[in-house]
C-alpha cells in the first residue's frame, strides 16, 4: 500500500464527456483538446465519438483516457482505442439497488480481467428524504465495499443534485475511510464529484480524487466543480496538484 497522499491530488476532467458542438471544425476541436492536455489533469473523460487523432494527442500528452462502459462486449474496443479507464455506475435511488450493484460489480470484474482500470461512480448518494440526514449511508457503504473489493481502482461518490452539506459530506468520507476493503485502503481510492464547497470539505479530510470541468455551457450540463475554482481552492488548502492556473485560464477561453 502506498503512503496516503503520496501521489497528491488527482483531478479527472469531465469537460468532454458530453461531446462539443458538432458545428465546430476539426481544427477547433483539436485546439480545444490541446488546451485540455496543457492543463494536464490526471485523466480526461471523453465522449465515444472522439476521433483517433484527438485520442492520440491526449495519450501522447501522458494523460489517461476514460469513458463510460455500458456493455462488457466493448472492453476490447476501448483498449484498442487507447482507453485506460472504464467508468461504471450504480445509483442509490434505484428501486433494484442490490441487483444493480451486483451487475455493476460483474461489469467491473469483466473490465479488469480485460486489462482496463475501473472508475466506479456511486450516484445520488445524498438524495435521502430526511433533510437533516440526507444520505443513503448504508447503500453508499455497501457500494464502496463491493466495488473496492472487486478491484475498482477509484470509487467516486457523486452528489448529482448538489444536496450535500458539510456534515453529510464529512460523514460519508469518514465512514468510507474506515471501511475494511481488499487492496489499498479507501484513503487511496475514494473520490468526490460534487460542488466546490463539498470538495473543500472532502479535501480537508484527505480525499485525493476529484472531478472537475473547465466550464459550464447550456449544452454541457455539469455538476462538477469548475476546474479553475477547484485548483484555487486546492492551492488554498495546501494540496499539491500538477495543474497550472495559467493553463486553466487559456483552456477556459473555449467555454
Amino acid at each position: 500500500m502506498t503512503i496516503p497522499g503520496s501521489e497528491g491530488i488527482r483531478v479527472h476532467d469531465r469537460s468532454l464527456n458530453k461531446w462539443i458542438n458538432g458545428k465546430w471544425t476539426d481544427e477547433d476541436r483539436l485546439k480545444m483538446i490541446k488546451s485540455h492536455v496543457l492543463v494536464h489533469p490526471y485523466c480526461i473523460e471523453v465522449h465515444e465519438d472522439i476521433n483517433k487523432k484527438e485520442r492520440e494527442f491526449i495519450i501522447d500528452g501522458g494523460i489517461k483516457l476514460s469513458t463510460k462502459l455500458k456493455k462488457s462486449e466493448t472492453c476490447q474496443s476501448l483498449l484498442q482505442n487507447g482507453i485506460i479507464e472504464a467508468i461504471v455506475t450504480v445509483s442509490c435511488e434505484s428501486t433494484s439497488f442490490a441487483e444493480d450493484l451486483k451487475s455493476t460489480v460483474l461489469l467491473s470484474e469483466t473490465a479488469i480481467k480485460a486489462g482496463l482500470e475501473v472508475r466506479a461512480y456511486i450516484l445520488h448518494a445524498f438524495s435521502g428524504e430526511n433533510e437533516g440526514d440526507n444520505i443513503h449511508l448504508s447503500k453508499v457503504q455497501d457500494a464502496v465495499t463491493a466495488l473496492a473489493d472487486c478491484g475498482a481502482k477509484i470509487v467516486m461518490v457523486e452528489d448529482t443534485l448538489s444536496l450535500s452539506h458539510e456534515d453529510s459530506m464529512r460523514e460519508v468520507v469518514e465512514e468510507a475511510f474506515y471501511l475494511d476493503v481488499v487492496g489499498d485502503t479507501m484513503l487511496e481510492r475514494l473520490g468526490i464529484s460534487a460542488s466546490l464547497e463539498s470538495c473543500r470539505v472532502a479535501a480537508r479530510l484527505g480525499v485525493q480524487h476529484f472531478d472537475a470541468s473547465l466550464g459550464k455551457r447550456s449544452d454541457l450540463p455539469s455538476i462538477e466543480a469548475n476546474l479553475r475554482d477547484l485548483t484555487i481552492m486546492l492551492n488554498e488548502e495546501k494540496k499539491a496538484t500538477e495543474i497550472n492556473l495559467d493553463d486553466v485560464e487559456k483552456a477556459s477561453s473555449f467555454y
Side-chain angles (χ1 to χ4, degrees):
M1 186 180 76
T2 55
I3 300 170
S6 61
E7 295 184 61
I9 299 294
R10 284 150 284 175
V11 177
H12 179 230
D13 181 356
R14 303 189 80 186
S15 309
L16 304 178
N17 67 344
K18 296 181 178 64
W19 192 235
I20 50 183
N21 195 317
K23 295 180 181 179
W24 284 38
T25 65
D26 289 346
E27 183 180 359
D28 285 338
R29 284 168 61 120
L30 190 57
K31 283 181 180 178
M32 174 180 269
I33 295 293
K34 288 180 178 179
S35 74
H36 283 257
V37 171
L38 286 174
V39 171
H40 209 276
Y42 170 74
C43 185
I44 292 178
E45 181 179 343
V46 295
H47 191 269
E48 59 190 10
D49 71 356
I50 189 171
N51 65 45
K52 181 180 179 181
K53 185 176 182 180
E54 293 161 347
R55 287 198 310 269
E56 289 178 346
F57 192 89
I58 296 173
I59 294 168
D60 290 345
I63 300 170
K64 288 184 179 183
L65 285 177
S66 68
T67 197
K68 293 179 177 65
L69 177 63
K70 300 173 183 177
K71 298 184 295 184
S72 58
E73 293 81 6
T74 62
C75 288
Q76 289 302 323
S77 66
L78 294 186
L79 287 166
Q80 290 168 5
N81 287 329
I83 304 294
I84 297 295
E85 200 171 71
I87 294 173
V88 301
T89 64
V90 64
S91 173
C92 292
E93 287 201 328
S94 170
T95 55
S96 55
F97 171 77
E99 290 303 313
D100 290 351
L101 180 57
K102 289 179 182 178
S103 297
T104 302
V105 166
L106 181 60
L107 184 60
S108 300
E109 290 174 338
T110 302
I112 292 166
K113 287 178 182 177
L116 289 161
E117 296 176 1
V118 169
R119 174 183 290 264
Y121 280 82
I122 303 169
L123 309 180
H124 305 110
F126 298 91
S127 301
E129 296 179 0
N130 187 326
E131 293 183 2
D133 185 19
N134 64 332
I135 317 169
H136 292 299
L137 190 57
S138 63
K139 289 183 177 180
V140 172
Q141 291 174 329
D142 288 347
V144 169
T145 302
L147 293 165
D149 284 351
C150 80
K153 184 169 184 178
I154 302 170
V155 180
M156 302 290 298
V157 177
E158 185 173 74
D159 182 13
T160 312
L161 302 177
S162 297
L163 293 175
S164 60
H165 47 72
E166 182 173 352
D167 290 340
S168 59
M169 179 59 71
R170 179 180 296 277
E171 185 170 3
V172 162
V173 171
E174 290 181 342
E175 291 288 341
F177 278 174
Y178 283 105
L179 290 174
D180 185 17
V181 296
V182 175
D184 284 349
T185 70
M186 292 313 300
L187 282 167
E188 300 298 326
R189 299 156 77 182
L190 185 69
I192 295 297
S193 181
S195 67
L196 181 66
E197 287 310 308
S198 289
C199 288
R200 185 187 296 274
V201 173
R204 288 176 175 173
L205 293 170
V207 171
Q208 299 175 46
H209 297 276
F210 295 93
D211 280 354
S213 290
L214 276 165
K216 295 185 179 181
R217 303 198 321 241
S218 59
D219 59 329
L220 285 176
S222 171
I223 55 88
E224 298 88 32
N226 177 277
L227 183 55
R228 178 183 178 277
D229 296 338
L230 180 69
T231 304
I232 291 172
M233 180 274 287
L234 291 171
N235 289 340
E236 291 172 349
E237 297 296 328
K238 310 300 182 187
K239 303 292 183 179
T241 74
E242 294 184 359
I243 295 174
N244 184 288
L245 264 179
D246 291 338
D247 292 328
V248 172
E249 295 285 4
K250 293 175 184 175
S252 298
S253 66
F254 284 93
Y255 296 85

